[in-house]
Amino acid sequence: MNEQNLFFVLIIFLNIIFFYNLKKLTSILNLYDYPSNKRKIHKEKTSLLGGIIFFGVTLLFFLFDKNFNNSLKQYHSLTIIIPLILMFSTGYIDDKIGLSSIKKTFLFIIIIFFPILFNGDFQISILKFSSIEKNIQLGIFSIFFTIICIFLFINSFNMYDGINGQAGIYSFILFSFFLYKNINVNLSLAIIITLLFFLIFNFRGKVFLGDNGSIFISFLISLIIINSYNLKIINTCEEIFILMMLPGVDMVRLFIQRLLNKKNPLIADGNHFHHLMLNFFSSSSVLIVNSLLIILPILALIYGFNEILIILTFLTTYLVIFFFIKNN
């Protein structure tokens, strides 16, 4: 058995052991999500250990990575592994004891700064737009801009994680896209396998990603996309926007709405797109609609449709659904 096959056998074995012992592990770590307020629609305490398996799978990947041909191979130790550990730890602590939005913001910025500082391939230094055929050099603002982009995506992903299966399916779509684009194939396939195991238990209400999972996965996705953008595998800002469109647009709407209502934009509420739709549709219907709003633009991108047309079509669809819900 070669090392690559051994790696995937271990990934499957790790998932089986983890999910078979999920109840026991959750009890030992005492990490549950309790149905304590209006935003939480589940009725029983639920395991928040979802992020641990993705964290473990990613660390296992880096143990084997010296034998794989992938674009992250040169970015070990300080530039990737330590920031990923710190992000996971921040999410785990937040799940365990709760961190204020100010503390989490401070920690996010410090951790995000780490890989950007030590490796330029995780820094957005130029904005390439296909729609206007123009490149914008960010110069001294590149580090600040990169931190803001990653920070906003982590928050938008966390906000999007509100219905069983929603964040899992979104992650599955993104890592399938990475696989299609030949981006970190072994890591992408390992995450996809783990997502399949996770979604089985998540749909049954047995486990949530938790902040440890949503923060870790979104940070990992951010680093992969920026690295791929700098390697010219992902070519334009429009392409990146399409990949992150639904969580990003809904986050911007929520931030504006909260600021207009003189509320902290980082404090969670029940006005997310999926929360609003749940007032009219079943959770499975909401999940299908949101999944289509993500996968159809990405498929259109793959088949070569005009990127601006894809974005405008999505925005029109999102707004039509939003105003229909608000006015009924």
Side-chain angles (χ1 to χ4, degrees):
M1 180 183 294
N2 62 36
E3 297 230 3
Q4 189 172 25
N5 290 336
L6 176 61
F7 169 69
F8 286 109
V9 168
L10 288 175
I11 291 296
I12 294 171
F13 180 74
L14 182 63
N15 273 281
I16 292 172
I17 293 299
F18 175 81
F19 285 106
Y20 180 79
N21 292 284
L22 177 64
K23 189 173 182 179
K24 185 184 296 184
L25 288 170
T26 307
S27 177
I28 292 171
L29 295 173
N30 191 28
L31 196 64
Y32 295 97
D33 189 32
Y34 294 90
S36 58
N37 60 49
K38 293 180 180 180
R39 291 190 307 109
K40 299 182 179 182
I41 58 177
H42 58 287
K43 297 179 180 179
E44 299 179 356
K45 67 178 184 178
T46 305
S47 171
L48 284 174
L49 293 192
I52 289 181
I53 185 62
F54 293 99
F55 178 66
V57 164
T58 304
L59 289 184
L60 185 61
F61 164 78
F62 280 113
L63 288 176
F64 278 79
D65 185 43
K66 60 184 175 63
N67 302 296
F68 296 157
N69 180 25
N70 72 88
S71 60
L72 292 178
K73 123 183 312 188
Q74 56 187 311
Y75 307 129
H76 285 187
S77 189
L78 293 178
T79 53
I80 286 217
I81 296 177
I82 291 177
L84 286 171
I85 291 172
L86 292 174
M87 272 297 184
F88 170 78
S89 300
T90 299
Y92 185 88
I93 293 170
D94 189 33
D95 284 328
K96 194 70 176 178
I97 63 174
L99 294 172
S100 69
S101 58
I102 294 176
K103 288 180 180 178
K104 281 193 290 186
T105 298
F106 175 77
L107 289 171
F108 286 165
I109 291 172
I110 295 298
I111 298 169
I112 293 168
F113 182 71
F114 206 65
I116 297 171
L117 176 66
F118 286 99
N119 199 299
D121 279 347
F122 294 120
Q123 184 180 142
I124 304 170
S125 58
I126 182 171
L127 301 179
K128 294 174 283 186
F129 295 94
S130 63
S131 55
I132 59 176
E133 298 182 351
K134 185 175 182 179
N135 296 340
I136 300 174
Q137 298 285 346
L138 294 174
I140 61 173
F141 298 104
S142 61
I143 291 178
F144 173 77
F145 182 80
T146 306
I147 291 173
I148 291 298
C149 287
I150 296 176
F151 174 77
L152 290 176
F153 180 66
I154 290 173
N155 277 279
S156 67
F157 188 97
N158 187 260
M159 290 178 175
Y160 186 71
D161 183 21
I163 299 176
N164 287 349
Q166 189 160 265
I169 290 175
Y170 177 47
S171 300
F172 183 89
I173 293 169
L174 287 185
F175 279 97
S176 297
F177 178 79
F178 296 157
L179 203 59
Y180 167 79
K181 297 281 282 187
N182 203 32
I183 297 171
N184 304 115
V185 171
N186 292 289
L187 176 59
S188 296
L189 188 54
I191 296 293
I192 287 171
I193 291 170
T194 305
L195 282 165
L196 292 174
F197 278 95
F198 169 78
L199 283 168
I200 291 171
F201 286 82
N202 183 232
F203 277 129
R204 293 164 58 194
K206 301 298 183 181
V207 63
F208 296 157
L209 274 179
D211 283 347
N212 65 89
S214 65
I215 290 170
F216 175 80
I217 291 175
S218 55
F219 184 53
L220 178 63
I221 289 170
S222 299
L223 293 179
I224 291 173
I225 288 178
I226 293 172
N227 181 232
S228 302
Y229 176 72
N230 286 323
L231 290 173
K232 298 180 174 60
I233 303 172
I234 294 175
N235 296 306
T236 67
C237 294
E238 290 94 340
E239 189 173 351
I240 294 175
F241 182 75
I242 289 169
L243 295 177
M244 301 176 166
M245 201 154 47
L246 179 55
V249 168
D250 200 46
M251 178 193 66
V252 171
R253 177 189 63 81
L254 282 166
F255 275 17
I256 293 173
Q257 184 176 333
R258 289 169 185 172
L259 288 171
L260 290 175
N261 292 328
K262 299 180 180 180
K263 296 180 179 179
N264 185 337
L266 298 176
I267 298 297
D269 58 29
N271 292 314
H272 301 76
F273 193 58
H274 53 268
H275 286 144
L276 297 176
M277 285 200 291
L278 283 172
N279 294 326
F280 294 87
F281 310 109
S282 67
S283 58
S284 58
S285 298
V286 173
L287 190 61
I288 290 170
V289 171
N290 282 343
S291 298
L292 289 173
L293 285 173
I294 290 168
I295 197 169
L296 290 179
I298 292 177
L299 287 175
L301 180 68
I302 290 172
Y303 281 99
F305 284 77
N306 181 275
E307 292 169 347
I308 292 300
L309 180 61
I310 295 171
I311 293 170
L312 290 176
T313 301
F314 167 83
L315 292 175
T316 301
T317 305
Y318 175 88
L319 290 173
V320 167
I321 296 174
F322 173 73
F323 284 113
F324 171 81
I325 293 171
K326 291 293 287 185
N327 293 323
N328 286 279

